[in-house]
Amino acid sequence: MAVKMTETDEILQYLNIKNDEELFADIPQKLRVSLDLGLPMDEFSLITSIEKSCSNNVSPAMNFLGNGIYDRFIPPLVDEIIGRNEFLTSYTPYQPEISQGILHSLFEYQSVISDLTQMDVTNSSMYDGFTALAEAVRMAYRINGKEEVLVPENIYRSQLSIIQNYVIGLNLKIIKYKFGKDGLIDMEDLKSKISDHTSSIIVANPNLFGLIDENAFTVSEFKKEALLITYYDPVSLGLIKSPGEYGTDIAVAEGQQLGIHMNYGGPLLGLFSFRKEYVHRSPGRLIGLSKDNSGRKAFVMTLQAREQHIRRSRAMSNICSNQALLAVASLAYLSILGSNGMKKLALITMNKSIKLKKELYNAGINTVFKGINFSDNLFYFDGQEKLIRSNISGGIKLSELSDYPGYKNSAFFSVTEKTSDESISRLAKITGE
Amino acid sequence: MRALADWQKLQVNKMYKQAHYDEDFLNSFNTGNDFYLEEVEDRYPDSIKRKRLKLPDVRSVDVSRHFTRLSEMNYSVDIGMYPLGSCTMKFNPKYADYVAALPGFQNVHPLESESRIQGTLEVMYRLQQLLIKISGMDYASLQPSAGAHGEFTGILIVRKFFEVNGQLGNRDEIIIPDSAHGTNPASAAMVGFKVVEVPSNDNGLVDIEALKAAVNPRTAAFMITNPNTLGIFDDQILEIAEIIHNNGSLLYYDGANFNAILGITTPGIMGFDIVHFNLHKTFATPHGGGGPGAGPVAVKSYLREYLPVPVVVLENGKYSLYYNLKNTIGKVSSYNGSFGVILRAYAYALKNGNNLSLNARRAVMNSNYMAKKLSKSFEIPYKSLKKHEFVLSTSRTGRKALDISKFILDYGIHSPTTYFPLIVKEAMMIEPTESVTLKDMDYYIDVMEKSLEVPEDTIKSSPVNTSVGRIDEIAAARNLILKWPDSCENS
């Protein structure tokens, strides 16, 4: 009786070779390696093993961490949608006829972020907020060729490092502008630094002290030929003035709060919007609406001539993979919450900040600034060991995040809608002791 | 009764019909939002508030149905064969998704203190060590967010290396083969290097004489992938490394094609100095319709001090983040890498262990099988021994790669990468991966062959079984519509 051939036997027979080693005849023996990568595992053992690693993580009793990434409630429907294998296990839609689902979704993502920011155009995603910010600086340089970028003096060290890396090949000088004692942009200082050489001005709103910065709303009035780059908080736009309303040219943000798990800071979602006249100078992928050969609505990746696979060394960016799935998550999130939900979410967050400031004040811990905070609140606080003792996350020192010269003994406590009133009271009690 | 032609039989046997819904935009549903949040006090001045906010106003059930319907209009590797060359669309194992959804991992904030995230750091450290071993390098960083981002990171390291060694002004060129991925020249240019292209030789390999002619004191690095985008292993690699290193330049390995060599050879032993990985390719993490990916970078010991910070280290049984690298390029991502992707890749690597090289071997067998079978009908230029992928040309068939790529969609399979690499006319680049069966491949080959037999008008009017037919891409670019109507303009 003939033994049934395995698939690999059949392939080898067809290729007329004895074993697969012959297929590697072109890799010289001296280049061969024998690696010990461990014994293969069955699925149950694998999952058990990784669950064991996971159990080495300790959940905090309370979490007051923020500064860009926030622990917000994610409606289960969001995970359900991005868990659908038709989205999850597809590649970049190079064959649009068979990929309308992801293309339609990404087109809607571009639309909903454009609506949220009131900007003309949004691309179909960047890696994360900070790289989106750095790409915005590069884009401004491509547009006006000017050689200076003005950044806030309290910029996070990591943001600054990424910008420096992204502009390393350009002839760009990074200049910091100051903040007033009220924690808002020092307009006199900023004005004095804006010149005919200014390529772009970065403003953050809420700013990096956590304050709604009304001064940012007026920067476009005297920006000369510079482009205004606004780094915003997408949840704040449920209530706060949109970047489009105050003359922003490029609006960028971290989109994690919009339905994406924190996951130790990745994968994230870079939101990237801009004025339509700059579309040909923009980085990343764009989804456009067109028609198929029988007149039906159909979507394609468009303006690909800007991209690396066509333009190569002259491309507008090197982006190939982006964060498509997370863009869909943010679209689903914004659709589930709607205008009303987003407005309430912003209000709840701000009200929690007020409650936090009030309770900590009563416990003897003062805020650094008097203004209106969104999620992040800066306090004169250096009692981090009390937090460790009570298993509380938060109290990140300003000096850990930024090279800002002042407020060395200050630290951040951040809130979201998940921050309970009880946890605020407990925090006040523990820190005030 | 008239006998069916062979190609018609195939069509009858393999009915594929993708769903089509004339799906409205979410902002036109107006069914009323039903996401409940308690009423809250608003005591903020109008001076900080926006005038209007117009997001979709829909019930959750509509959101759910909308995306379910859209998902039915999307092909994926869980539906069928998806042999995009250089994209390594292998099966994405579900155990990896399962562990990635463990709340103990998902709910970790990136600024969380090291003592509370020993499990997270353990996974990162172990993947770092695995990547080091697999690549024959000495140190690794998991920070870059995608393959192209890994290239960018690697080239930043090249630049910093020459800066520290006082040669920055003199080393301003990067050499790249004409068969390279487009991201290579784009990444090199982003870091401020001049890109010099060298042609391939008649075997599709690096033309050593052309390389020697291109190498000069201004050369900072040579970026290649091996096997290259033609799926051919360049056995001159040690000679190439010598030429590059004798010139004081660095050798960069584009890891997009790593699935061909995993466990068989390493970039390290080939003489490379810097490597990037694509975890969403080699390590089977789902690509999500365009991303996320992850693009870790590994280097030889003499480049350790240049890596982005922090890296994860293990000392006395404790994992921690190490920042103190003397010449570090600093940061390339907001935080420490795409942990959700890193975790899935770790699960894949841990699960397969020493079988990882069997996956590579099967991937190469499959590629050679398809290449040999398809070589009867299509020209497959350059040498016949392929690695994980191969490139055929439709030039001599009288059919355009574009038409064939549309025709085969009608049979429930995804097309290969087309018109790449640029050095092959009417190119179709096929990478079956280890995940496909013999039956999958035979069916695919069958459909490819039928594409040459069908009447011209049939192929020109294809696809017809996908949710939409051919799309007017020129109109999309000429009359740019990048968002839905009735958007919330700032007026």
Side-chain angles (χ1 to χ4, degrees), chain A residues 267-268 321-326, chain B residues 145-146 280 285-294 338 341:
Chain A
L268 300 174
S321 286
N322 55 20
Q323 309 295 104
L325 190 71
L326 307 165
Chain B
S145 301
H280 50 290
T285 71
H287 199 250
S338 293
V341 181

Side-chain angles (χ1 to χ4, degrees), chain A residues 67 70 152 154 156 177 179 182-185 203-214 216 231 369 372-374 376 412:
Chain A
N67 297 94
Y70 300 89
N154 59 5
Y156 295 161
Y177 64 82
F179 282 75
D182 54 2
L184 307 184
I185 296 171
V203 302
N205 209 0
N207 71 28
L208 300 168
F209 292 135
L211 299 168
I212 305 298
D213 198 330
E214 288 195 60
Y231 192 83
F369 305 111
I372 302 172
N373 290 76
F374 196 69
D376 303 332
F412 285 102

Side-chain angles (χ1 to χ4, degrees), chain A residues 37 53 108 290 297 351 393, chain B residues 23 44 66 112 122 354 472:
Chain A
L37 301 173
S53 293
E108 292 194 316
S290 186
K297 184 169 72 189
N351 290 353
S393 295
Chain B
E23 191 65 18
Y44 302 98
H66 178 69
E112 187 54 271
E122 177 176 286
N354 289 328
D472 191 342

Side-chain angles (χ1 to χ4, degrees), chain B residues 93-345:
Chain B
K94 307 309 167 192
Y95 57 76
D97 294 334
Y98 176 85
V99 295
L102 292 172
F105 283 131
Q106 265 189 338
N107 298 338
V108 174
H109 191 281
L111 300 177
E112 187 54 271
S113 66
E114 291 167 14
S115 63
R116 288 199 194 93
I117 55 166
Q118 287 296 300
T120 295
L121 296 179
E122 177 176 286
V123 167
M124 292 178 74
Y125 180 80
R126 289 182 180 171
L127 186 67
Q128 264 178 214
Q129 298 314 106
L130 258 161
L131 294 179
I132 287 165
K133 199 183 262 187
I134 285 166
S135 60
M137 295 281 142
D138 299 313
Y139 294 95
S141 161
L142 304 177
Q143 200 175 119
S145 301
H149 205 214
E151 292 173 16
F152 173 67
T153 305
I155 301 304
L156 282 170
I157 291 172
V158 169
R159 185 183 164 109
K160 188 84 183 206
F161 174 78
F162 288 115
E163 186 187 323
V164 168
N165 290 289
Q167 297 182 56
L168 184 59
N170 306 323
R171 299 268 184 185
D172 59 357
E173 291 179 5
I174 285 186
I175 304 176
I176 295 173
D178 58 1
S179 61
H181 298 117
T183 49
N184 290 183
S187 301
M190 248 177 104
V191 185
F193 286 100
K194 198 178 131 204
V195 174
V196 179
E197 240 184 39
V198 288
S200 306
N201 68 16
D202 293 344
N203 291 321
L205 304 177
V206 172
D207 184 330
I208 295 286
E209 291 314 308
L211 178 65
K212 281 182 182 163
V215 168
N216 73 79
R218 305 206 74 85
T219 307
F222 183 42
M223 288 179 93
I224 52 170
T225 180
N226 195 20
N228 64 19
T229 57
L230 296 161
I232 299 173
F233 187 84
D234 200 324
D235 54 8
Q236 320 163 98
I237 189 63
L238 289 175
E239 190 184 351
I240 291 168
E242 202 181 332
I243 293 166
I244 297 303
H245 289 149
N246 284 348
N247 190 56
S249 315
L250 296 170
L251 193 58
Y252 183 94
Y253 187 86
D254 172 345
N257 296 342
F258 216 114
N259 206 42
I261 61 155
L262 208 167
I264 292 155
T265 181
T266 68
I269 202 167
M270 290 187 237
F272 286 88
D273 304 294
I274 307 171
V275 176
H276 89 258
F277 298 86
N278 297 71
L279 298 186
H280 50 290
K281 297 179 181 177
T282 318
F283 294 88
T285 71
H287 199 250
V297 166
V299 297
K300 288 277 178 65
S301 56
Y302 42 85
L303 295 173
R304 176 190 183 237
E305 298 297 314
Y306 297 85
L307 284 172
V309 286
V311 289
V312 184
V313 295
L314 173 62
E315 277 172 336
N316 306 323
K318 287 261 178 236
Y319 297 96
S320 59
L321 297 171
Y322 187 79
Y323 287 87
N324 198 18
L325 298 176
K326 202 170 97 204
N327 303 315
T328 177
I329 60 165
K331 300 276 296 180
V332 294
S333 290
S334 293
Y335 299 96
N336 302 334
S338 293
F339 181 76
V341 181
I342 289 164
L343 175 55
R344 284 180 168 91

Side-chain angles (χ1 to χ4, degrees), chain B residues 12-130:
Chain B
V12 171
N13 290 343
K14 287 286 174 183
M15 290 285 281
Y16 172 71
K17 187 71 189 160
Q18 193 176 32
H20 174 262
Y21 299 93
D22 185 15
E23 191 65 18
D24 287 333
F25 291 123
L26 272 169
N27 73 333
S28 67
F29 278 52
N30 295 323
T31 51
N33 182 278
D34 61 355
F35 187 80
Y36 176 78
L37 280 174
E38 62 178 326
E39 288 305 319
V40 275
E41 195 185 346
D42 176 355
R43 45 192 153 171
Y44 302 98
D46 287 343
S47 61
I48 65 168
K49 288 181 189 165
R50 64 187 298 155
K51 289 196 194 78
R52 259 177 92 222
L53 176 63
K54 185 175 177 279
L55 295 173
D57 187 26
V58 291
R59 300 178 304 167
S60 287
V61 62
D62 293 318
V63 176
S64 185
R65 285 177 181 162
H66 178 69
F67 287 106
T68 304
R69 289 190 295 251
L70 288 180
S71 76
E72 288 182 20
M73 292 163 69
N74 216 53
Y75 191 81
S76 71
V77 84
D78 276 351
I79 294 174
M81 198 165 156
Y82 211 132
L84 277 172
S86 273
C87 300
T88 316
M89 286 295 279
K90 57 172 84 175
F91 175 60
N92 307 140
K94 307 309 167 192
Y95 57 76
D97 294 334
Y98 176 85
V99 295
L102 292 172
F105 283 131
Q106 265 189 338
N107 298 338
V108 174
H109 191 281
L111 300 177
E112 187 54 271
S113 66
E114 291 167 14
S115 63
R116 288 199 194 93
I117 55 166
Q118 287 296 300
T120 295
L121 296 179
E122 177 176 286
V123 167
M124 292 178 74
Y125 180 80
R126 289 182 180 171
L127 186 67
Q128 264 178 214
Q129 298 314 106
L130 258 161

